[in-house]
Amino acid sequence: MATKEEQQAYAEKIKPIQPKPPYFINCLKAFLIGGLICLIGEAVQKFYMTYFNFSAETAGNPTVATLILVAALLTGLGVYDKIGQFAGAGSVVPVTGFANAVTSAALEHKSEGLVLGVATNLFKLAGAVIVFGAVSAYIFGMIRYLFQHLM
Amino acid sequence: MNLQGRQTWKFTNSIYLNAAGTSVGPLESEGPLGSFFDKTYSDLHCNQKNWELAERQLMEDAIDVCLKKTKLQPEDINFLLAGDLLNQIVSANYTARGNGIPYLGVFGACSTSMESLALGALLVDGGYANRVIAAVSSHNATAERQFRYPTEYGGQKPDTATFTVTGAGAALVSKEVSDIKITSATIGKVVDLGIKDPFDMGSAMAPAAADTIAAHLKEMNVAADEYDLIATGDLSGVGAPIVKMLLKEQGIDISDNHRDCGLMIYRPDQPVFAGGSGCACSAVVTYGYILDEIRKGNLNKVLMVATGALLSPVMVQQKESIPTVAHGVVLERAEGGN
């Protein structure tokens, strides 16, 4: 087993050879594609408000559902992972990324059956989002409650 | 003495690689070596229901082709030495269940190709087998599922990542005279220089490859230019320059005769990041392309070093680094069986 010093020396030595991640280009791509997804969301929301008499508040649910449906379909058609490789965080962070995480896990584990395959592994990737979403909602809810009632 | 130094076997008898079979998926068949592979699939599923069955199909095909070329039946083979990248090496186990050849499962991650070939040659040389088949397989989608994310997950991979080759290779080893000889093999030790990034296995494996190549040259007492080709398995665009650099530090220059299978199997414009990886990467390039080059006389003596990242997702999540190993086998042209 190599010592800490040997490991550090090796890491230093190979640094010039390793390709640098193009941080700026990646950020730009993420910004553009992430923004584009949000723009599409806006358009869908306007569509529901104009043609189905939703208010700005109530249009949220059908808009999110539509985006999730489209992202799930794109995942199934093998397109979303290609968008993801290009856009990085831009297509992971929006709700479409969550839909992709769930759908891709479901597709992957279809071969092990509906219960132990699909159902068990459905939230394999997205589970962490739900856990930390619920926990942080609880914590911030408590903080808000304290501020509202004690101050 | 059959043992040279500490870790190199020099086979005393003439051991021959009689025939090989290769099968690959769509991206590999479209690559620059596509015409060298025996069986190609235009569909990643290889006409099977799921990815695991597809990988098994590839391994069965490779062995079938290998047997057909030599007009042998599974009953004529003493042992099958096989492995793959999946848990419990399932592709190899189920293939062995199908053909009924007495079986030894081997695992050395992507180094399994040369590990199985070296062990096969050893069994034949020692008189413990007349005919052995060494086979390995890997599949891009099964490897993604085993080691990374679901295939359709939209995560972004860095440029240092490698792309698992979909394919399988099998080789028949015996003392029956043919045009390719297996003359020696060097077994590598497990090397770990602290790389923890599973998306940079080239950097992790390069020191193991350098260690095995240096040990081989020293124990066989030969210079690097003795070989027309020193090939590494799947160091890719990141690891290939590192192994050259590490060997140069030890006074060994392989800049003229080194090539990496991970860079040979795909065109640079294919979407494979730093290059190919997986057991099948070194196997199909060796058993498809390199053997052909030796037969044609374009290469006379080749040191094939298969590199393996002994990666476990659980261990990496526990913040352990990635141990790696590399095994080398020397293949020589045997004109008229000499």
Side-chain angles (χ1 to χ4, degrees), chain A:
Chain A
M1 182 76 196
T3 61
K4 268 255 144 45
E5 289 74 37
E6 283 170 326
Q7 292 185 2
Q8 274 166 358
Y10 181 63
E12 281 299 316
K13 206 183 319 177
I14 62 171
K15 225 179 213 167
I17 292 172
Q18 285 175 316
K20 306 259 171 312
Y23 289 119
F24 180 75
I25 296 290
N26 281 353
C27 287
L28 193 68
K29 284 178 182 169
F31 176 76
L32 290 175
I33 301 295
L36 185 68
I37 292 171
C38 296
L39 187 70
I40 294 168
E42 279 290 320
V44 173
Q45 191 183 21
K46 283 279 181 302
F47 169 80
Y48 282 119
M49 284 161 69
T50 316
Y51 295 98
F52 292 95
N53 279 332
F54 281 99
S55 69
E57 239 168 52
T58 54
N61 286 338
T63 303
V64 167
T66 307
L67 288 178
I68 287 174
L69 177 70
V70 171
L73 283 174
L74 288 178
T75 303
L77 294 170
V79 179
Y80 204 89
D81 59 326
K82 294 188 176 65
I83 300 173
Q85 180 57 41
F86 178 82
S91 57
V92 171
V93 175
V95 71
T96 51
F98 187 84
N100 164 255
V102 175
T103 317
S104 62
L107 282 170
E108 189 79 357
H109 293 280
K110 192 176 138 250
S111 65
E112 295 112 275
L114 196 60
V115 177
L116 293 176
V118 176
T120 307
N121 291 291
L122 201 55
F123 294 101
K124 194 167 89 167
L125 295 166
V129 180
I130 295 174
V131 169
F132 289 108
V135 171
S136 55
Y138 175 80
I139 293 170
F140 285 103
M142 290 297 278
I143 294 171
R144 190 180 158 179
Y145 180 84
L146 285 175
F147 270 89
Q148 272 178 341
H149 292 269
L150 299 177
M151 296 217 159

Side-chain angles (χ1 to χ4, degrees), chain B residues 14 25 31 65 71 75 122 164 168 172 192 203 224 235 241 266 310 324:
Chain B
S14 290
V65 171
K71 300 192 174 64
E75 296 76 52
L122 187 73
T164 308
L172 177 78
D192 184 343
S203 298
L235 294 181
Y266 297 117
L310 305 168
T324 63

Side-chain angles (χ1 to χ4, degrees), chain B residues 151-169:
Chain B
T151 40
E152 297 300 332
Y153 179 62
Q156 193 174 39
K157 283 184 184 169
D159 293 334
T160 50
T162 49
F163 187 88
T164 308
V165 168
T166 301

Side-chain angles (χ1 to χ4, degrees), chain B residues 15-16 178-183 228 290-302 330-338:
Chain B
I15 310 299
Y16 295 93
S178 82
D179 42 13
I180 290 166
K181 246 174 155 176
I182 303 172
T183 52
D228 302 317
I290 293 175
L291 291 190
D292 200 65
E293 286 291 288
I294 296 175
R295 277 195 201 102
K296 281 180 190 157
N298 296 338
L299 297 170
N300 277 312
K301 201 168 175 189
V302 175
V330 175
L331 301 167
E332 285 184 52
R333 184 173 149 83
E335 259 172 293
N338 291 310

